[in-house]
Amino acid sequence: MTDDEQPNWDFKDRDIAILCELSKDPQLSSRELTSVLKAEYDIDVSHVTVSESIRRMRDEGVFREAIIPNEEYYTFALFEFKFNTEHFEDGWRDAMEYIQGSKHTLFYFLSDGEYQWKTVMMFRSSEQISKWIHNCYKEHGDVIANIRNSSVHNVLKFRTDPQIYEDLRSDQTE
């Protein structure tokens, strides 16, 4: 599966329970998950079935795995990019690949409105943030009219709630 394809998956209660439990503790082994599924969900399957289900969901793109460092090590910043439409056609792809390929880019997305590209980026210092912005303008200033950045302070929540996967169950019945 490629990153731009939508997963094609028919969720079973077992799959939803596995996603819920892995979002609570991504380090659970398939054997531990098997025990939790039996105790918490009354789902009786082998650890091999659990392992296979996880592998197939991962391969299909149902979830992504990423190593995200503890927020205490980095300053997170939200960057929003406004464009110079005069030069956009000639340079947008290089600028997009520059941002996407940056080691500092954690999350990169498109949005509506005047600022259409947005990123959540990680830096070790405010000096790194300034240097990155400077270099971005130096390389792609003809395309980017303005970078609006906000430092993210006091991260209060940094995880996926397991309950979000319950929505998948309700989508099945609709």
Side-chain angles (χ1 to χ4, degrees), residues 103-128:
K103 71 178 185 178
H104 299 286
T105 300
L106 172 66
F107 192 63
Y108 184 36
F109 56 100
L110 303 176
S111 67
D112 296 335
E114 188 174 14
Y115 290 86
Q116 295 176 350
W117 291 348
K118 296 185 182 186
T119 62
V120 175
M121 303 182 88
M122 304 181 312
F123 298 92
R124 290 289 290 148
S125 67
S126 56
E127 291 79 22
Q128 272 190 336

Side-chain angles (χ1 to χ4, degrees), residues 5-117:
E5 292 178 21
Q6 183 172 348
N8 181 17
W9 193 263
D10 292 323
F11 287 95
K12 297 178 177 145
D13 285 343
R14 174 191 70 219
D15 301 329
I16 294 169
I18 288 170
L19 291 171
C20 287
E21 293 306 316
L22 286 177
S23 68
K24 288 179 195 174
D25 183 357
Q27 301 302 316
L28 283 175
S29 71
S30 58
R31 289 186 189 276
E32 292 168 321
L33 263 171
T34 301
S35 298
V36 172
L37 292 176
K38 179 65 178 158
E40 300 293 323
Y41 300 90
D42 198 29
I43 297 173
D44 192 11
V45 293
S46 72
H47 73 278
V48 174
T49 300
V50 169
S51 182
E52 179 67 13
S53 182
I54 293 169
R55 185 192 62 74
R56 287 181 37 242
M57 284 192 288
R58 181 185 302 118
D59 290 350
E60 183 58 35
V62 170
F63 65 92
R64 293 182 171 92
E65 293 179 293
I67 296 174
I68 301 175
N70 187 301
E71 63 274 13
E72 296 299 321
Y73 292 117
Y74 291 91
T75 298
F76 288 82
L78 172 66
F79 283 35
E80 299 172 291
F81 299 86
K82 182 178 178 180
F83 304 110
N84 177 350
T85 55
E86 181 181 345
H87 300 286
F88 187 78
E89 185 177 350
D90 296 331
W92 73 268
R93 182 170 298 281
D94 287 342
M96 181 185 74
E97 290 172 354
Y98 178 84
I99 297 163
Q100 188 172 355
S102 173
K103 71 178 185 178
H104 299 286
T105 300
L106 172 66
F107 192 63
Y108 184 36
F109 56 100
L110 303 176
S111 67
D112 296 335
E114 188 174 14
Y115 290 86
Q116 295 176 350
W117 291 348

